[in-house]
Structure formats: structure tokens, C-alpha cells
Amino acid sequence: DGGITQSPKYLFRKEGQNVTLSCEQNLNHDAMYWYRQDPGQGLRLIYYSQIVNDFQKGDIAEGYSVSREKKESFPLTVTSAQKNPTAFYLCASSRGTGVFGAVITDTQYFGPGTRLTVL
Amino acid sequence: SQELEQSPQSLIVQEGKNLTINCTSSKTLYGLYWYKQKYGEGLIFLMMLQKGGEEKSHEKITAKLDEKKQQSSLHITASQPSHAGIYLCGADRGLYSGGGADGLTFGKGTHLIIQP
């Protein structure tokens, strides 16, 4: 079955600790994304990657880091610098179009999410 | 600032009734995406609209994009308990940040409850 997997489903972290959220896809998609969802605020983009070994900051990148060493994987690290990390984190991927500098349409497909709680 | 406005914020509908959710953009949309989410789960893609006046249907859900490409509506006919959840509209983020295929910006969502 093709799809996007995220692990773990629930994650608890003590203050001051870094934690890494996993995102894997077998859809052969070039582009991958990380969003954060908070109650009443919708989804906000953290980081995205259009191609392996390259990634860009989204709207709320502070306190987060990512890597894209493989096409299938896009892990997100929530660092101790993130002031309010408790949230629902969603990973997505899309085919990617290879077109840069132009607004285009490219449907994103989402994983099941990871709920992070800081104790 | 919120570039995509969804209304209503929440909606309680009796089973079998029709309903409409709206999504309005401050700028012309190149692509408008509708997703559904069950609480605590990922987003499920419903439809994408691209052309002015375009209309698409999936089972009992119909989405439309107006001619000016600044407003979209999602209409559910004869609602069922399975329709309950959060409906989100999304637009290409590059539209609001100066260009580039760089993720989506979302409305805050509409919480739909179906009463038996």
C-alpha cells in the first residue's frame, strides 16, 4: 500500500529535551512538508523540501530543524528552543513539479499525525 | 493575518439536511484544495479546484470555485453521520509569499456536527 506514515502517534517530552518526529512516504513524491496544528489556528507550515538535500523554512520554523537525506524520509526535530511545542504535527508529501519561482497547483497528501505533549 | 477565511466556524446540522461551507481568499486563487479531518487524525484530500466557475463532486459533496477565483463553497447534500469532522480549505502558499510551489496556507477550519 502506498502512503505516508508518521511515528510515533503520541509523544511525550520533558522540557529542555530535543525530540525527533518521523515521516516516511512510499509514493515516490519529490516534495515533503511539515505542518503544525493548534486548536483554533488551523495548520501552519514549519518546513518543506522540494528535493533531496534541500529544504526551506516555512512560516514558523524557529525552534525546529529538518533533514532530507533520502527521498522517502523527512524527519522533524523539535528542539528545546521551541517555546511552545505541544501541538499536533502533520507531515505531507506531493508529487512536486520541478517548477520553481511560479505559483502552481500540486495536491498534498497527509500522514496520520503525531501528537506531541511537553510535560 | 489570515489570508483564507472560512465560514461558519462551526455547524450543527440535523442528519439528512443540506449544508454549505464557504472559503474566501483575499487574492486570486491558482488552486483551492478541500480537505476533511477527523479529530486527532490526518487530513483526507477531497477535491482541488483550479478554474473559475469550476465545480467538482465526490459522492454527496460538491465544491465550486467562483468566476473571480476568490471564493469557494463546499456543499453537502443529505448529510450523514459520516460527514462529521473538520473541513479545511487550503491555497498555495506562494500566492501569499511572492511565488513558488512552497506548501499550503489553510483556513481555520469548519467543525461539522451531524445530529441524528
Side-chain angles (χ1 to χ4, degrees), chain A residues 61-96:
Chain A
E62 185 176 350
Y64 299 97
S65 66
V66 293
S67 63
R68 186 84 188 278
E69 297 176 1
K70 297 188 298 181
K71 186 176 183 177
E72 303 79 19
S73 178
F74 191 39
L76 174 75
T77 296
V78 184
T79 74
S80 56
Q82 168 52 232
K83 300 301 181 187
N84 186 20
T86 294
F88 189 52
Y89 290 87
L90 288 155
C91 177
S93 71
S94 67
R95 183 168 50 89

PDB file of all heavy atoms in Angstrom, chain A residues 61-96:
ATOM      1  N   ALA A  61       9.360  28.362  11.464  1.00  0.00           N
ATOM      2  CA  ALA A  61      10.490  27.431  11.531  1.00  0.00           C
ATOM      3  C   ALA A  61      11.312  27.536  12.822  1.00  0.00           C
ATOM      4  O   ALA A  61      12.073  26.618  13.149  1.00  0.00           O
ATOM      5  CB  ALA A  61      11.392  27.652  10.332  1.00  0.00           C
ATOM      6  N   GLU A  62      11.173  28.619  13.560  1.00  0.00           N
ATOM      7  CA  GLU A  62      12.023  28.818  14.736  1.00  0.00           C
ATOM      8  C   GLU A  62      11.822  27.715  15.765  1.00  0.00           C
ATOM      9  O   GLU A  62      10.690  27.402  16.155  1.00  0.00           O
ATOM     10  CB  GLU A  62      11.731  30.178  15.377  1.00  0.00           C
ATOM     11  CG  GLU A  62      12.660  30.502  16.534  1.00  0.00           C
ATOM     12  CD  GLU A  62      12.439  31.894  17.113  1.00  0.00           C
ATOM     13  OE1 GLU A  62      11.693  32.674  16.490  1.00  0.00           O
ATOM     14  OE2 GLU A  62      13.016  32.192  18.174  1.00  0.00           O
ATOM     15  N   GLY A  63      12.936  27.109  16.212  1.00  0.00           N
ATOM     16  CA  GLY A  63      12.858  26.047  17.209  1.00  0.00           C
ATOM     17  C   GLY A  63      12.718  24.656  16.615  1.00  0.00           C
ATOM     18  O   GLY A  63      12.594  23.679  17.351  1.00  0.00           O
ATOM     19  N   TYR A  64      12.753  24.577  15.302  1.00  0.00           N
ATOM     20  CA  TYR A  64      12.633  23.295  14.605  1.00  0.00           C
ATOM     21  C   TYR A  64      13.823  23.105  13.657  1.00  0.00           C
ATOM     22  O   TYR A  64      14.431  24.078  13.210  1.00  0.00           O
ATOM     23  CB  TYR A  64      11.353  23.227  13.773  1.00  0.00           C
ATOM     24  CG  TYR A  64      10.070  23.361  14.552  1.00  0.00           C
ATOM     25  CD1 TYR A  64       9.423  24.587  14.651  1.00  0.00           C
ATOM     26  CD2 TYR A  64       9.494  22.257  15.180  1.00  0.00           C
ATOM     27  CE1 TYR A  64       8.236  24.717  15.359  1.00  0.00           C
ATOM     28  CE2 TYR A  64       8.300  22.375  15.886  1.00  0.00           C
ATOM     29  CZ  TYR A  64       7.680  23.616  15.968  1.00  0.00           C
ATOM     30  OH  TYR A  64       6.508  23.740  16.668  1.00  0.00           O
ATOM     31  N   SER A  65      14.136  21.850  13.340  1.00  0.00           N
ATOM     32  CA  SER A  65      15.126  21.564  12.306  1.00  0.00           C
ATOM     33  C   SER A  65      14.688  20.327  11.549  1.00  0.00           C
ATOM     34  O   SER A  65      13.918  19.492  12.058  1.00  0.00           O
ATOM     35  CB  SER A  65      16.519  21.359  12.914  1.00  0.00           C
ATOM     36  OG  SER A  65      16.544  20.190  13.726  1.00  0.00           O
ATOM     37  N   VAL A  66      15.149  20.206  10.304  1.00  0.00           N
ATOM     38  CA  VAL A  66      14.795  19.068   9.462  1.00  0.00           C
ATOM     39  C   VAL A  66      16.026  18.607   8.688  1.00  0.00           C
ATOM     40  O   VAL A  66      17.047  19.285   8.636  1.00  0.00           O
ATOM     41  CB  VAL A  66      13.684  19.416   8.446  1.00  0.00           C
ATOM     42  CG1 VAL A  66      12.362  19.701   9.151  1.00  0.00           C
ATOM     43  CG2 VAL A  66      14.103  20.575   7.558  1.00  0.00           C
ATOM     44  N   SER A  67      15.889  17.438   8.074  1.00  0.00           N
ATOM     45  CA  SER A  67      16.892  16.945   7.144  1.00  0.00           C
ATOM     46  C   SER A  67      16.171  16.208   6.035  1.00  0.00           C
ATOM     47  O   SER A  67      15.044  15.727   6.218  1.00  0.00           O
ATOM     48  CB  SER A  67      17.886  16.018   7.841  1.00  0.00           C
ATOM     49  OG  SER A  67      17.224  14.856   8.352  1.00  0.00           O
ATOM     50  N   ARG A  68      16.806  16.137   4.862  1.00  0.00           N
ATOM     51  CA  ARG A  68      16.193  15.389   3.752  1.00  0.00           C
ATOM     52  C   ARG A  68      17.314  14.655   3.018  1.00  0.00           C
ATOM     53  O   ARG A  68      17.752  15.029   1.940  1.00  0.00           O
ATOM     54  CB  ARG A  68      15.466  16.342   2.810  1.00  0.00           C
ATOM     55  CG  ARG A  68      14.688  15.627   1.714  1.00  0.00           C
ATOM     56  CD  ARG A  68      13.346  15.188   2.113  1.00  0.00           C
ATOM     57  NE  ARG A  68      12.658  14.357   1.152  1.00  0.00           N
ATOM     58  CZ  ARG A  68      11.995  14.808   0.083  1.00  0.00           C
ATOM     59  NH1 ARG A  68      11.980  16.094  -0.215  1.00  0.00           N
ATOM     60  NH2 ARG A  68      11.363  13.953  -0.699  1.00  0.00           N
ATOM     61  N   GLU A  69      17.782  13.594   3.643  1.00  0.00           N
ATOM     62  CA  GLU A  69      18.883  12.813   3.084  1.00  0.00           C
ATOM     63  C   GLU A  69      18.395  11.757   2.106  1.00  0.00           C
ATOM     64  O   GLU A  69      19.159  11.284   1.257  1.00  0.00           O
ATOM     65  CB  GLU A  69      19.687  12.175   4.216  1.00  0.00           C
ATOM     66  CG  GLU A  69      20.341  13.192   5.132  1.00  0.00           C
ATOM     67  CD  GLU A  69      21.048  12.538   6.309  1.00  0.00           C
ATOM     68  OE1 GLU A  69      21.039  11.293   6.404  1.00  0.00           O
ATOM     69  OE2 GLU A  69      21.617  13.284   7.132  1.00  0.00           O
ATOM     70  N   LYS A  70      17.141  11.359   2.259  1.00  0.00           N
ATOM     71  CA  LYS A  70      16.548  10.373   1.364  1.00  0.00           C
ATOM     72  C   LYS A  70      15.224  10.901   0.839  1.00  0.00           C
ATOM     73  O   LYS A  70      14.520  11.635   1.541  1.00  0.00           O
ATOM     74  CB  LYS A  70      16.311   9.047   2.097  1.00  0.00           C
ATOM     75  CG  LYS A  70      17.550   8.364   2.605  1.00  0.00           C
ATOM     76  CD  LYS A  70      17.232   6.986   3.139  1.00  0.00           C
ATOM     77  CE  LYS A  70      16.273   7.049   4.311  1.00  0.00           C
ATOM     78  NZ  LYS A  70      15.978   5.694   4.862  1.00  0.00           N
ATOM     79  N   LYS A  71      14.855  10.488  -0.341  1.00  0.00           N
ATOM     80  CA  LYS A  71      13.596  10.948  -0.935  1.00  0.00           C
ATOM     81  C   LYS A  71      12.399  10.534  -0.089  1.00  0.00           C
ATOM     82  O   LYS A  71      11.413  11.247   0.004  1.00  0.00           O
ATOM     83  CB  LYS A  71      13.463  10.351  -2.342  1.00  0.00           C
ATOM     84  CG  LYS A  71      12.283  10.852  -3.139  1.00  0.00           C
ATOM     85  CD  LYS A  71      12.321  10.277  -4.543  1.00  0.00           C
ATOM     86  CE  LYS A  71      11.194  10.822  -5.387  1.00  0.00           C
ATOM     87  NZ  LYS A  71      11.257  10.316  -6.781  1.00  0.00           N
ATOM     88  N   GLU A  72      12.497   9.361   0.539  1.00  0.00           N
ATOM     89  CA  GLU A  72      11.350   8.812   1.266  1.00  0.00           C
ATOM     90  C   GLU A  72      11.156   9.397   2.654  1.00  0.00           C
ATOM     91  O   GLU A  72      10.113   9.214   3.267  1.00  0.00           O
ATOM     92  CB  GLU A  72      11.520   7.292   1.421  1.00  0.00           C
ATOM     93  CG  GLU A  72      11.677   6.530   0.120  1.00  0.00           C
ATOM     94  CD  GLU A  72      13.085   6.618  -0.448  1.00  0.00           C
ATOM     95  OE1 GLU A  72      14.018   6.954   0.305  1.00  0.00           O
ATOM     96  OE2 GLU A  72      13.251   6.371  -1.655  1.00  0.00           O
ATOM     97  N   SER A  73      12.163  10.080   3.197  1.00  0.00           N
ATOM     98  CA  SER A  73      12.135  10.427   4.604  1.00  0.00           C
ATOM     99  C   SER A  73      12.369  11.915   4.847  1.00  0.00           C
ATOM    100  O   SER A  73      13.235  12.529   4.215  1.00  0.00           O
ATOM    101  CB  SER A  73      13.219   9.611   5.328  1.00  0.00           C
ATOM    102  OG  SER A  73      13.276   9.935   6.688  1.00  0.00           O
ATOM    103  N   PHE A  74      11.634  12.463   5.814  1.00  0.00           N
ATOM    104  CA  PHE A  74      11.751  13.896   6.117  1.00  0.00           C
ATOM    105  C   PHE A  74      11.518  14.083   7.620  1.00  0.00           C
ATOM    106  O   PHE A  74      10.466  14.572   8.047  1.00  0.00           O
ATOM    107  CB  PHE A  74      10.724  14.685   5.304  1.00  0.00           C
ATOM    108  CG  PHE A  74      10.908  16.185   5.315  1.00  0.00           C
ATOM    109  CD1 PHE A  74      12.161  16.770   5.260  1.00  0.00           C
ATOM    110  CD2 PHE A  74       9.797  17.023   5.344  1.00  0.00           C
ATOM    111  CE1 PHE A  74      12.324  18.144   5.235  1.00  0.00           C
ATOM    112  CE2 PHE A  74       9.939  18.412   5.325  1.00  0.00           C
ATOM    113  CZ  PHE A  74      11.209  18.968   5.272  1.00  0.00           C
ATOM    114  N   PRO A  75      12.475  13.727   8.460  1.00  0.00           N
ATOM    115  CA  PRO A  75      12.284  13.836   9.908  1.00  0.00           C
ATOM    116  C   PRO A  75      12.321  15.275  10.404  1.00  0.00           C
ATOM    117  O   PRO A  75      13.069  16.107   9.869  1.00  0.00           O
ATOM    118  CB  PRO A  75      13.464  13.036  10.477  1.00  0.00           C
ATOM    119  CG  PRO A  75      14.501  13.079   9.407  1.00  0.00           C
ATOM    120  CD  PRO A  75      13.774  13.125   8.101  1.00  0.00           C
ATOM    121  N   LEU A  76      11.534  15.533  11.424  1.00  0.00           N
ATOM    122  CA  LEU A  76      11.446  16.863  12.052  1.00  0.00           C
ATOM    123  C   LEU A  76      11.947  16.767  13.489  1.00  0.00           C
ATOM    124  O   LEU A  76      11.478  15.918  14.244  1.00  0.00           O
ATOM    125  CB  LEU A  76       9.994  17.345  12.058  1.00  0.00           C
ATOM    126  CG  LEU A  76       9.718  18.651  12.810  1.00  0.00           C
ATOM    127  CD1 LEU A  76      10.216  19.849  12.022  1.00  0.00           C
ATOM    128  CD2 LEU A  76       8.216  18.795  13.106  1.00  0.00           C
ATOM    129  N   THR A  77      12.892  17.624  13.850  1.00  0.00           N
ATOM    130  CA  THR A  77      13.369  17.683  15.226  1.00  0.00           C
ATOM    131  C   THR A  77      12.816  18.926  15.897  1.00  0.00           C
ATOM    132  O   THR A  77      12.957  20.041  15.370  1.00  0.00           O
ATOM    133  CB  THR A  77      14.903  17.691  15.296  1.00  0.00           C
ATOM    134  OG1 THR A  77      15.402  16.457  14.767  1.00  0.00           O
ATOM    135  CG2 THR A  77      15.388  17.827  16.735  1.00  0.00           C
ATOM    136  N   VAL A  78      12.156  18.716  17.010  1.00  0.00           N
ATOM    137  CA  VAL A  78      11.656  19.815  17.823  1.00  0.00           C
ATOM    138  C   VAL A  78      12.712  20.065  18.896  1.00  0.00           C
ATOM    139  O   VAL A  78      12.968  19.199  19.739  1.00  0.00           O
ATOM    140  CB  VAL A  78      10.300  19.458  18.463  1.00  0.00           C
ATOM    141  CG1 VAL A  78       9.734  20.647  19.227  1.00  0.00           C
ATOM    142  CG2 VAL A  78       9.310  18.987  17.400  1.00  0.00           C
ATOM    143  N   THR A  79      13.342  21.201  18.858  1.00  0.00           N
ATOM    144  CA  THR A  79      14.440  21.469  19.783  1.00  0.00           C
ATOM    145  C   THR A  79      13.942  22.150  21.049  1.00  0.00           C
ATOM    146  O   THR A  79      12.796  22.619  21.119  1.00  0.00           O
ATOM    147  CB  THR A  79      15.508  22.344  19.120  1.00  0.00           C
ATOM    148  OG1 THR A  79      15.022  23.688  19.029  1.00  0.00           O
ATOM    149  CG2 THR A  79      15.866  21.839  17.730  1.00  0.00           C
ATOM    150  N   SER A  80      14.824  22.237  22.012  1.00  0.00           N
ATOM    151  CA  SER A  80      14.469  22.888  23.278  1.00  0.00           C
ATOM    152  C   SER A  80      14.243  24.385  23.091  1.00  0.00           C
ATOM    153  O   SER A  80      13.695  25.054  23.965  1.00  0.00           O
ATOM    154  CB  SER A  80      15.573  22.652  24.311  1.00  0.00           C
ATOM    155  OG  SER A  80      16.821  23.110  23.825  1.00  0.00           O
ATOM    156  N   ALA A  81      14.621  24.912  21.942  1.00  0.00           N
ATOM    157  CA  ALA A  81      14.422  26.335  21.666  1.00  0.00           C
ATOM    158  C   ALA A  81      12.981  26.657  21.275  1.00  0.00           C
ATOM    159  O   ALA A  81      12.577  27.820  21.275  1.00  0.00           O
ATOM    160  CB  ALA A  81      15.357  26.791  20.542  1.00  0.00           C
ATOM    161  N   GLN A  82      12.215  25.632  20.969  1.00  0.00           N
ATOM    162  CA  GLN A  82      10.803  25.844  20.618  1.00  0.00           C
ATOM    163  C   GLN A  82      10.036  26.116  21.906  1.00  0.00           C
ATOM    164  O   GLN A  82       9.931  25.246  22.774  1.00  0.00           O
ATOM    165  CB  GLN A  82      10.253  24.629  19.872  1.00  0.00           C
ATOM    166  CG  GLN A  82       8.741  24.599  19.697  1.00  0.00           C
ATOM    167  CD  GLN A  82       8.145  25.857  19.099  1.00  0.00           C
ATOM    168  OE1 GLN A  82       7.213  26.444  19.628  1.00  0.00           O
ATOM    169  NE2 GLN A  82       8.699  26.278  17.974  1.00  0.00           N
ATOM    170  N   LYS A  83       9.458  27.307  22.016  1.00  0.00           N
ATOM    171  CA  LYS A  83       8.861  27.761  23.281  1.00  0.00           C
ATOM    172  C   LYS A  83       7.568  27.059  23.634  1.00  0.00           C
ATOM    173  O   LYS A  83       7.245  26.876  24.806  1.00  0.00           O
ATOM    174  CB  LYS A  83       8.614  29.274  23.208  1.00  0.00           C
ATOM    175  CG  LYS A  83       9.866  30.101  22.972  1.00  0.00           C
ATOM    176  CD  LYS A  83      10.885  29.872  24.077  1.00  0.00           C
ATOM    177  CE  LYS A  83      12.135  30.725  23.848  1.00  0.00           C
ATOM    178  NZ  LYS A  83      13.207  30.391  24.806  1.00  0.00           N
ATOM    179  N   ASN A  84       6.815  26.693  22.655  1.00  0.00           N
ATOM    180  CA  ASN A  84       5.508  26.077  22.919  1.00  0.00           C
ATOM    181  C   ASN A  84       5.301  24.885  21.989  1.00  0.00           C
ATOM    182  O   ASN A  84       4.530  24.966  21.041  1.00  0.00           O
ATOM    183  CB  ASN A  84       4.399  27.116  22.715  1.00  0.00           C
ATOM    184  CG  ASN A  84       3.038  26.583  23.121  1.00  0.00           C
ATOM    185  OD1 ASN A  84       2.936  25.624  23.879  1.00  0.00           O
ATOM    186  ND2 ASN A  84       1.999  27.193  22.598  1.00  0.00           N
ATOM    187  N   PRO A  85       5.986  23.784  22.235  1.00  0.00           N
ATOM    188  CA  PRO A  85       5.985  22.680  21.281  1.00  0.00           C
ATOM    189  C   PRO A  85       4.760  21.765  21.331  1.00  0.00           C
ATOM    190  O   PRO A  85       4.556  20.976  20.413  1.00  0.00           O
ATOM    191  CB  PRO A  85       7.236  21.893  21.667  1.00  0.00           C
ATOM    192  CG  PRO A  85       7.392  22.163  23.123  1.00  0.00           C
ATOM    193  CD  PRO A  85       6.918  23.574  23.334  1.00  0.00           C
ATOM    194  N   THR A  86       3.961  21.867  22.361  1.00  0.00           N
ATOM    195  CA  THR A  86       2.789  20.986  22.452  1.00  0.00           C
ATOM    196  C   THR A  86       1.821  21.305  21.319  1.00  0.00           C
ATOM    197  O   THR A  86       1.310  22.412  21.219  1.00  0.00           O
ATOM    198  CB  THR A  86       2.076  21.166  23.805  1.00  0.00           C
ATOM    199  OG1 THR A  86       2.946  20.714  24.848  1.00  0.00           O
ATOM    200  CG2 THR A  86       0.784  20.370  23.845  1.00  0.00           C
ATOM    201  N   ALA A  87       1.595  20.322  20.450  1.00  0.00           N
ATOM    202  CA  ALA A  87       0.753  20.527  19.270  1.00  0.00           C
ATOM    203  C   ALA A  87       0.591  19.197  18.545  1.00  0.00           C
ATOM    204  O   ALA A  87       1.196  18.190  18.906  1.00  0.00           O
ATOM    205  CB  ALA A  87       1.372  21.556  18.323  1.00  0.00           C
ATOM    206  N   PHE A  88      -0.211  19.234  17.501  1.00  0.00           N
ATOM    207  CA  PHE A  88      -0.411  18.088  16.611  1.00  0.00           C
ATOM    208  C   PHE A  88       0.404  18.374  15.345  1.00  0.00           C
ATOM    209  O   PHE A  88       0.243  19.413  14.713  1.00  0.00           O
ATOM    210  CB  PHE A  88      -1.907  17.943  16.296  1.00  0.00           C
ATOM    211  CG  PHE A  88      -2.281  16.692  15.566  1.00  0.00           C
ATOM    212  CD1 PHE A  88      -1.882  15.455  16.038  1.00  0.00           C
ATOM    213  CD2 PHE A  88      -3.054  16.739  14.426  1.00  0.00           C
ATOM    214  CE1 PHE A  88      -2.250  14.280  15.390  1.00  0.00           C
ATOM    215  CE2 PHE A  88      -3.431  15.581  13.755  1.00  0.00           C
ATOM    216  CZ  PHE A  88      -3.025  14.354  14.243  1.00  0.00           C
ATOM    217  N   TYR A  89       1.327  17.452  15.008  1.00  0.00           N
ATOM    218  CA  TYR A  89       2.224  17.664  13.882  1.00  0.00           C
ATOM    219  C   TYR A  89       1.839  16.757  12.717  1.00  0.00           C
ATOM    220  O   TYR A  89       1.676  15.543  12.870  1.00  0.00           O
ATOM    221  CB  TYR A  89       3.674  17.392  14.305  1.00  0.00           C
ATOM    222  CG  TYR A  89       4.197  18.430  15.251  1.00  0.00           C
ATOM    223  CD1 TYR A  89       3.994  18.311  16.625  1.00  0.00           C
ATOM    224  CD2 TYR A  89       4.859  19.555  14.783  1.00  0.00           C
ATOM    225  CE1 TYR A  89       4.450  19.278  17.500  1.00  0.00           C
ATOM    226  CE2 TYR A  89       5.337  20.525  15.656  1.00  0.00           C
ATOM    227  CZ  TYR A  89       5.119  20.383  16.999  1.00  0.00           C
ATOM    228  OH  TYR A  89       5.572  21.355  17.862  1.00  0.00           O
ATOM    229  N   LEU A  90       1.730  17.379  11.550  1.00  0.00           N
ATOM    230  CA  LEU A  90       1.304  16.659  10.357  1.00  0.00           C
ATOM    231  C   LEU A  90       2.361  16.765   9.274  1.00  0.00           C
ATOM    232  O   LEU A  90       2.877  17.841   8.983  1.00  0.00           O
ATOM    233  CB  LEU A  90      -0.012  17.244   9.838  1.00  0.00           C
ATOM    234  CG  LEU A  90      -1.241  16.927  10.705  1.00  0.00           C
ATOM    235  CD1 LEU A  90      -2.317  17.975  10.507  1.00  0.00           C
ATOM    236  CD2 LEU A  90      -1.763  15.542  10.374  1.00  0.00           C
ATOM    237  N   CYS A  91       2.654  15.629   8.677  1.00  0.00           N
ATOM    238  CA  CYS A  91       3.580  15.555   7.562  1.00  0.00           C
ATOM    239  C   CYS A  91       2.784  15.341   6.281  1.00  0.00           C
ATOM    240  O   CYS A  91       1.734  14.680   6.299  1.00  0.00           O
ATOM    241  CB  CYS A  91       4.559  14.399   7.782  1.00  0.00           C
ATOM    242  SG  CYS A  91       5.720  14.123   6.439  1.00  0.00           S
ATOM    243  N   ALA A  92       3.239  15.905   5.185  1.00  0.00           N
ATOM    244  CA  ALA A  92       2.557  15.740   3.908  1.00  0.00           C
ATOM    245  C   ALA A  92       3.586  15.567   2.804  1.00  0.00           C
ATOM    246  O   ALA A  92       4.758  15.919   2.959  1.00  0.00           O
ATOM    247  CB  ALA A  92       1.663  16.954   3.613  1.00  0.00           C
ATOM    248  N   SER A  93       3.137  15.031   1.691  1.00  0.00           N
ATOM    249  CA  SER A  93       4.013  14.942   0.529  1.00  0.00           C
ATOM    250  C   SER A  93       3.210  15.254  -0.721  1.00  0.00           C
ATOM    251  O   SER A  93       1.975  15.166  -0.729  1.00  0.00           O
ATOM    252  CB  SER A  93       4.647  13.546   0.422  1.00  0.00           C
ATOM    253  OG  SER A  93       3.682  12.579   0.049  1.00  0.00           O
ATOM    254  N   SER A  94       3.918  15.639  -1.778  1.00  0.00           N
ATOM    255  CA  SER A  94       3.266  15.907  -3.055  1.00  0.00           C
ATOM    256  C   SER A  94       4.212  15.531  -4.180  1.00  0.00           C
ATOM    257  O   SER A  94       5.423  15.400  -3.973  1.00  0.00           O
ATOM    258  CB  SER A  94       2.855  17.376  -3.167  1.00  0.00           C
ATOM    259  OG  SER A  94       3.989  18.214  -3.221  1.00  0.00           O
ATOM    260  N   ARG A  95       3.652  15.375  -5.316  1.00  0.00           N
ATOM    261  CA  ARG A  95       4.445  14.927  -6.468  1.00  0.00           C
ATOM    262  C   ARG A  95       5.587  15.889  -6.744  1.00  0.00           C
ATOM    263  O   ARG A  95       6.681  15.494  -7.102  1.00  0.00           O
ATOM    264  CB  ARG A  95       3.518  14.804  -7.669  1.00  0.00           C
ATOM    265  CG  ARG A  95       4.134  14.282  -8.936  1.00  0.00           C
ATOM    266  CD  ARG A  95       3.045  13.946  -9.950  1.00  0.00           C
ATOM    267  NE  ARG A  95       2.102  15.038 -10.107  1.00  0.00           N
ATOM    268  CZ  ARG A  95       2.242  16.026 -10.987  1.00  0.00           C
ATOM    269  NH1 ARG A  95       3.288  16.088 -11.758  1.00  0.00           N
ATOM    270  NH2 ARG A  95       1.319  16.963 -11.073  1.00  0.00           N
ATOM    271  N   GLY A  96       5.311  17.184  -6.572  1.00  0.00           N
ATOM    272  CA  GLY A  96       6.332  18.169  -6.914  1.00  0.00           C
ATOM    273  C   GLY A  96       6.349  18.317  -8.423  1.00  0.00           C
ATOM    274  O   GLY A  96       6.071  17.367  -9.165  1.00  0.00           O
TER     275      GLY A  96
END
